[in-house]
Amino acid sequence: MSDRVTRHDAQGLCTLTLNRPDKLNALDTQAFEEFDAHLAALEVDQRIGCVVLRGAGRGFCAGADLKAMGSAPADPAFKPGVVERLGLLPQPVIAAVHGVCLTGALELALACDFILADRTAHFADTHGRWGLVSQWGMSQRLPRRVGVSAAKRMMMTGCTVEAAEAHGMGLVDLLAPDGGLDELVLGFAADVLANSWHTNFAAKRLMRETDGMSLAQGLAHERSRHPGFAADHKERIERFSRK
């Protein structure tokens, strides 16, 4: 494996970095293959409780490499399975966005559980500029996150949404002050990791499994698919009681 996507682990946190900075981390076949391999490893890695996805250099990611798509439009690496695999990771996943986050990159970010950004971040869906139609989840995840009207505006005009507006419309969960993205991401990840991993994984799974269900159906599903408490739940309660 080369270094199109790198992995760094520290104390339960895995950081995946899109690492093609000379191309604004544009996603080609090789990058997708490496990304998929990392995701496959994370699916079964019980040492990791949270994942951060970020980009090297001047921006998060410019989306799919159009030149690579033009030369191999049917390449399986450009099919939606890799992005779906990201969305199905058991661990909470944080997209840390600075600079560009365009089209396929936005679909990657939307497949994450949280989007954190700094004020350099800007977002756009440019499928329409090239006569393409989304395959990685834009038409499904974007309206669920920002509402149908805002999603239509982004998808049907290709407009650029700057960081402050993205935060206001709910696309970005937390917005860092200038130069503060790393601190924000690490602090947020620390809070996630301090929570019970068992609880976090179960909450993510249950919300995914009940998406689209009625309240009654969801409540029944929660009861039937309840995984039990974490192995350390008594110790956690005892620590609280001793305070």
Side-chain angles (χ1 to χ4, degrees):
M1 185 178 294
S2 71
D3 59 356
R4 286 278 207 277
V5 182
T6 63
R7 173 175 173 172
H8 174 74
D9 296 350
Q11 300 178 318
L13 177 64
C14 170
T15 300
L16 296 178
T17 302
L18 306 175
N19 188 39
R20 201 183 178 202
D22 57 317
K23 301 291 186 181
L24 281 173
N25 302 314
L27 300 164
D28 62 359
T29 300
Q30 185 176 337
F32 254 61
E33 290 173 346
E34 293 181 22
F35 191 41
D36 193 41
H38 284 304
L39 296 177
L42 283 167
E43 288 172 343
V44 295
D45 194 335
Q46 298 182 2
R47 303 166 301 168
I48 299 300
C50 183
V51 178
V52 170
L53 176 63
R54 64 189 317 151
R58 296 181 291 118
F60 177 70
C61 178
D65 186 327
L66 294 177
K67 292 182 179 179
M69 287 185 70
S71 63
D75 193 301
F78 285 104
K79 293 184 178 179
V82 180
V83 181
E84 187 65 10
R85 189 170 222 167
L86 172 64
L88 292 174
L89 280 181
Q91 301 92 344
V93 183
I94 303 165
V97 179
H98 72 292
V100 297
C101 182
L102 306 179
T103 318
L106 179 54
E107 289 174 301
L108 283 184
L110 288 166
C112 299
D113 300 293
F114 309 100
I115 301 176
L116 277 56
D118 68 14
R119 294 188 181 278
T120 69
H122 48 280
F123 304 83
D125 174 20
T126 62
H127 281 104
R129 185 178 302 172
W130 314 115
L132 306 174
V133 178
S134 64
Q135 298 183 77
W136 301 349
M138 186 75 76
S139 70
Q140 300 304 303
R141 292 192 175 100
L142 186 61
R144 283 170 168 80
R145 190 170 182 95
V146 303
V148 172
S149 180
K152 284 180 178 178
R153 179 170 65 91
M154 290 185 68
M155 295 176 67
M156 296 181 183
T157 71
C159 65
T160 296
V161 175
E162 302 293 344
E165 183 183 1
H167 184 223
M169 68 197 295
L171 179 56
V172 169
D173 294 292
L174 296 174
L175 187 59
D178 291 346
L181 183 59
D182 288 348
E183 182 179 357
L184 178 67
V185 170
L186 289 175
F188 188 82
D191 289 342
V192 171
L193 289 167
N195 219 38
S196 165
W197 297 8
H198 176 84
T199 301
N200 288 346
F201 290 17
K204 180 172 177 176
R205 174 182 58 79
L206 286 167
M207 284 188 281
R208 181 181 69 247
E209 290 173 347
T210 57
D211 184 32
M213 289 186 184
S214 69
L215 176 60
Q217 290 170 326
L219 291 171
H221 184 91
E222 182 186 69
R223 290 190 293 271
S224 68
R225 293 278 286 145
H226 193 279
F229 298 143
D232 67 343
H233 78 277
K234 291 183 178 179
E235 290 84 351
R236 285 174 173 268
I237 294 171
E238 287 173 0
R239 285 199 299 271
F240 173 78
S241 299
R242 289 195 296 267
K243 289 184 179 179

